[in-house]
């Protein structure tokens, strides 16, 4: 395998808190006071994962693929959208090596949920669970995340030429 067969991708997303719906993180419903605002199901982690995959493969981003102005994606299942992303990435000749994610959330506390979230991301992406890392950081009371007004996610993925 040559060096050029390795592709790294970064994904980022942020959604406002305060929606009257379940808080979905990586396809897992996490107990919380409120869910996230969004056109789809607002799964901020899966959106960032999808963009990391698309970025690594240099494909159009999720805003291009699934526009939030399109009624077809109202309350859309982000796991299904991610499945389409994975299909495109594999079709482009890549398979994922590992995923590393940071969830930036002042609340709820995610310590007890990180492993199940990572396992769900593993299932949805086809990456072995021992190659999916999910970390959680608070906003230390600073900025929109720190004030509890939003949850953000940063993801890095490594793809290998299949
Ligand atoms: Mg989003």
């Amino acid at each position: 395998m040559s060096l050029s067969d390795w592709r790294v991708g970064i994904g980022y997303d942020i959604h406002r808190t305060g929606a009257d719906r379940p808080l979905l993180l990586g396809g897992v419903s996490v107990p919380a006071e409120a869910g996230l605002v969004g056109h789809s199901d607002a799964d901020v982690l899966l959106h960032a994962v999808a963009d990391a995959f698309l970025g690594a493969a240099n494909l159009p981003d999720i805003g291009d693929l699934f526009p939030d102005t399109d009624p077809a994606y109202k309350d859309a299942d982000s796991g299904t959208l991610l499945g389409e992303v994975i299909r495109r990435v594999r079709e482009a000749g890549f398979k994922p090596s590992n995923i590393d994610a940071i969830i930036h959330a002042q609340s709820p506390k995610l310590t007890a949920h990180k492993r199940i979230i990572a396992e769900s991301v593993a299932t949805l992406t086809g990456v072995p669970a021992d190659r999916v890392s999910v970390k959680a950081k608070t906003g230390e009371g600073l900025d929109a995340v720190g004030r509890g007004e939003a949850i953000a996610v940063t993801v890095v993925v490594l793809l290998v030429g299949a």
Side-chain angles (χ1 to χ4, degrees):
M1 181 186 304
S2 73
L3 261 185
S4 60
D5 292 322
W6 297 81
R7 307 287 182 94
V8 67
I10 186 168
Y12 171 81
D13 198 19
I14 185 167
H15 282 250
R16 286 179 187 276
T17 57
D20 183 18
R21 71 202 306 185
L23 172 60
L24 287 177
L25 291 172
V28 176
S29 182
V30 176
E33 277 180 29
L36 296 174
V37 178
H39 182 66
S40 68
D41 66 6
D43 193 321
V44 62
L45 173 55
L46 293 189
H47 295 176
V49 168
D51 256 349
F53 272 83
L54 292 166
N58 202 5
L59 293 168
D61 67 30
I62 58 168
D64 294 330
L65 293 180
F66 315 114
D68 65 5
T69 50
D70 187 335
Y73 303 116
K74 176 101 176 73
D75 299 321
D77 174 359
S78 296
T80 302
L81 303 185
L82 179 58
E84 170 62 14
V85 165
I86 299 295
R87 191 191 65 75
R88 286 177 185 239
V89 167
R90 288 188 179 276
E91 194 175 80
F94 298 104
K95 67 175 193 182
S97 173
N98 74 298
I99 298 169
D100 190 13
I102 305 170
I103 302 171
H104 309 266
Q106 194 65 28
S107 70
K109 274 278 172 217
L110 296 172
T111 310
H113 306 286
K114 285 188 293 188
R115 200 57 239 161
I116 183 116
I117 292 170
E119 283 166 9
S120 176
V121 170
T123 301
L124 289 167
T125 55
V127 177
D130 65 354
R131 288 169 173 250
V132 179
S133 155
V134 172
K135 307 185 293 299
K137 306 289 287 183
T138 71
E140 290 286 343
L142 303 163
D143 69 30
V145 167
R147 291 189 297 271
E149 296 167 3
I151 292 178
V153 173
T154 311
V155 172
V156 171
V157 65
L158 185 67
L159 301 183
V160 184

